């Protein structure tokens, strides 16, 4: 079908929504983003952009600007909790392209995408809360103020609590994983190098990596817990609770935690990948279709992949229905694989039995020394996947 001239509404001004809007605008569509917030901002968090996501940013013409605002990750360092001893080092400079793995503040990436979208002619409507979506030959969205907007295509990139997902998928409920996570930014007073460090302990782990030229460090700390009542990370916690949970951790962890002032805390829930991503004149992308746990650092990368593939499918010589069906077929199996891998990852960091943990860490250390390339190569299926070449 000809995407040229299509009228498209994108719900959500996050990474996936803005990337999709930019991709479709550059293909000739008329695109507007409906964002419920009064401004497109994203508080508080760092993200990791791996090669598969970076290829999309480069294909959108944003590679140089993104490189200037992000930190090139040199390694992933797995460390034992007690003294901070390195167990395994994955050398990210072995990846196919130099500086292919980067750390960035989410707000900085969203700002870059917003500026590019506006410059390309994407309309961005703020304070535009979508209450409902009606699929159909001419789908429509209804806003909180009662306004109804009829368009040719509605894309829902509105995250965990998408207004469209339950219209296409009924009766799916999230399940608490038994884990909660704190998130915080602290000054880089310890000289944290340009690497992601995973500090592994019994029933918990802490990830740290630098942002914004190395001036600050992003922290994500995960603890196993029996009960949790609320989903979302907008809850504030007393930093004393975070420090108490990780009191047995050594190395540079205590110094970083001493600087935490107002951490966010949220329960981690496992959501099934949506069975239906598309309907008549509508489609899901990003977390609205496939929320992922933060144990493989792929949430933003998957949203970027979705955005590119969806735009590519809509430019093929197919009907709208067939283009959307192709998008789901192209993306769903990969999303299932990524989310399954992320869900399996946490237990590897949380071994409680000291003997089992010692043997496992020794095995990782030996493998890392004997076959460092092979240890990184286990992620080839993830990092070497390039949707800009395959779409």
């Amino acid at each position: 079908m000809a995407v040229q001239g299509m009228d498209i509404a994108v719900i959500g001004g996050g990474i996936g929504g803005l990337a999709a809007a930019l991709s479709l605008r550059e293909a000739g569509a008329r695109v507007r983003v409906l964002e419920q917030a009064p401004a497109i901002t994203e508080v508080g968090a760092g993200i990791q952009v791996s090669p598969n996501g970076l290829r999309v940013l480069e294909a959108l013409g944003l590679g140089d600007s993104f490189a200037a605002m992000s930190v090139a990750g040199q390694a992933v360092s797995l460390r034992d909790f007690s003294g901070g001893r390195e167990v395994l080092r994955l050398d990210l400079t072995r990846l196919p392209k130099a500086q292919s793995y980067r750390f960035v503040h989410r707000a900085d990436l969203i700002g870059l995408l917003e500026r590019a979208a506006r410059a390309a002619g994407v309309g961005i409507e703020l304070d535009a809360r979508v209450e409902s979506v009606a699929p159909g030959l001419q789908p429509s969205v209804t806003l909180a103020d009662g306004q109804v907007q009829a368009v040719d295509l509605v894309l829902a990139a509105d995250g965990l609590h998408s207004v469209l997902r339950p219209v296409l998928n009924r009766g799916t409920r999230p399940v608490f994983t038994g884990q909660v996570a704190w998130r915080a930014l602290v000054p880089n007073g310890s000289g944290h190098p340009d690497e992601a460090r995973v500090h592994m302990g019994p029933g918990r782990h802490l990830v740290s990596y630098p942002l914004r030229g190395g001036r600050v460090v992003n922290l994500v700390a995960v603890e196993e817990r029996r009960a949790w009542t609320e989903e979302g990370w907008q809850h504030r916690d007393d930093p004393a609770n975070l420090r108490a949970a990780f009191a047995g951790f050594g190395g540079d962890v205590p110094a970083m935690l001493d600087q935490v002032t107002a951490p966010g805390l949220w329960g981690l829930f496992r959501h099934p990948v949506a069975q239906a991503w598309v309907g008549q004149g509508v489609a899901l992308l990003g977390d609205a279709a496939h929320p992922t746990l933060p144990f493989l650092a792929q949430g933003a990368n998957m949203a970027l992949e979705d955005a590119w593939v969806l735009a590519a499918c809509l430019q093929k010589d197919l009907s709208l229905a067939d283009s959307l069906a192709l998008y789901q077929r192209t993306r769903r199996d990969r999303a299932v694989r990524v989310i399954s891998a992320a869900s399996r990852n946490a237990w590897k960091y949380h071994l409680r039995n000291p003997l089992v943990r010692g043997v496992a860490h020794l095995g990782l250390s030996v493998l890392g020394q004997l076959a460092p390339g092979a240890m990184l190569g286990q992620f080839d299926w993830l990092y070497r996947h390039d949707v800009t070449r395959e779409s």
Side-chain angles (χ1 to χ4, degrees):
M1 68 171 295
V3 72
Q4 181 86 24
M6 282 187 68
D7 191 8
I8 301 175
V10 179
I11 307 172
I15 291 171
L18 289 169
L22 177 58
S23 299
L24 290 164
R25 177 59 190 155
E26 292 186 343
R30 296 190 302 272
V31 188
R32 61 184 177 275
V33 174
L34 304 174
E35 169 54 45
Q36 65 180 353
I40 292 185
T41 58
E42 184 79 24
V43 294
I47 57 173
Q48 301 176 48
V49 177
S50 51
N52 48 308
L54 183 56
R55 299 291 87 83
V56 175
L57 294 174
E58 292 170 342
L60 291 172
L62 303 177
D64 290 343
S65 297
F66 180 68
M69 67 172 52
S70 57
V71 174
Q74 302 300 301
V76 174
S77 174
L78 303 185
R79 294 174 171 255
D80 182 70
F81 79 102
S82 57
R85 176 184 61 84
E86 185 170 80
V87 174
L88 173 66
R89 187 174 189 81
L90 300 176
D91 183 0
L92 297 176
T93 65
R94 291 175 172 265
L95 291 170
K97 291 186 179 181
Q99 300 186 340
S100 277
Y101 200 108
R102 307 195 70 90
F103 310 132
V104 68
H105 195 294
R106 184 184 297 268
D108 296 343
L109 175 54
I110 287 178
L112 175 64
L113 289 166
E114 180 192 8
R115 292 189 295 274
R118 289 186 185 276
V122 173
I124 297 180
E125 299 181 21
L126 303 175
D127 276 325
R129 180 185 293 275
V130 175
E131 293 287 350
S132 63
V133 178
L137 287 174
Q138 188 172 45
S140 64
V141 297
T142 300
L143 304 183
D145 62 4
Q147 178 188 169
V148 177
Q149 297 186 8
V151 292
D152 298 316
L153 175 64
V154 177
L155 305 180
D158 49 348
L160 289 173
H161 305 294
S162 171
V163 295
L164 177 60
R165 177 174 169 132
V167 174
L168 301 177
N169 301 268
R170 300 197 180 274
T172 58
R173 297 178 63 87
V175 177
F176 180 54
T177 63
Q179 299 170 95
V180 299
W182 290 269
R183 189 190 298 274
L185 290 175
V186 299
N188 188 3
S190 61
H192 196 299
D194 294 346
E195 61 188 37
R197 291 182 168 177
V198 183
H199 314 260
M200 306 177 293
R204 66 207 69 207
H205 76 277
L206 184 144
V207 180
S208 61
Y209 52 87
L211 302 173
R212 292 179 168 167
R215 298 186 300 276
V216 296
V217 175
N218 187 70
L219 301 178
V220 180
V222 177
E223 178 192 39
E224 294 177 5
R225 187 178 291 186
R226 289 187 177 180
W228 183 258
T229 57
E230 297 180 275
E231 186 175 18
W233 64 270
Q234 301 87 348
H235 317 292
R236 291 294 170 190
D237 194 28
D238 186 333
N241 294 331
L242 170 59
R243 287 191 276 269
F246 288 81
F249 280 54
D252 57 359
V253 171
M256 292 190 293
L257 294 184
D258 281 347
Q259 299 179 80
V260 175
T261 56
L265 175 65
W266 78 109
L268 300 180
F269 285 71
R270 184 175 290 108
H271 297 249
V273 176
Q275 286 296 322
W277 293 26
V278 303
Q280 191 173 35
V282 298
L284 303 168
L285 68 145
D287 280 352
H290 47 74
T292 182
L293 295 171
F295 302 138
L296 201 58
Q298 284 299 301
N301 296 291
M302 294 294 286
L304 289 168
E305 287 187 11
D306 284 354
W308 183 273
V309 172
L310 178 56
C313 289
L314 288 170
Q315 294 175 70
K316 295 187 182 296
D317 186 19
L318 299 169
S319 68
L320 176 57
D322 287 344
S323 293
L324 295 179
L326 176 61
Y327 159 65
Q328 174 166 328
R329 288 198 306 273
T330 303
R331 292 298 298 155
R332 193 176 187 280
D333 286 351
R334 177 162 169 83
V336 169
R337 184 177 184 186
V338 168
I339 288 165
S340 296
S343 298
R344 292 193 304 267
N345 238 19
W347 73 269
K348 301 175 185 178
Y349 302 150
H350 292 185
L351 297 174
R352 291 180 178 274
N353 185 294
L355 179 60
V356 172
R357 185 170 63 251
V359 171
H361 287 188
L362 178 61
L364 284 174
S365 182
V366 170
L367 286 172
Q369 294 175 41
L370 294 178
M375 294 301 291
L376 186 61
Q378 65 183 307
F379 298 103
D380 281 353
W381 66 273
L382 179 60
Y383 297 154
R384 291 180 181 266
H385 189 80
D386 184 353
V387 295
T388 69
R389 292 180 177 271
E390 298 172 9
S391 300

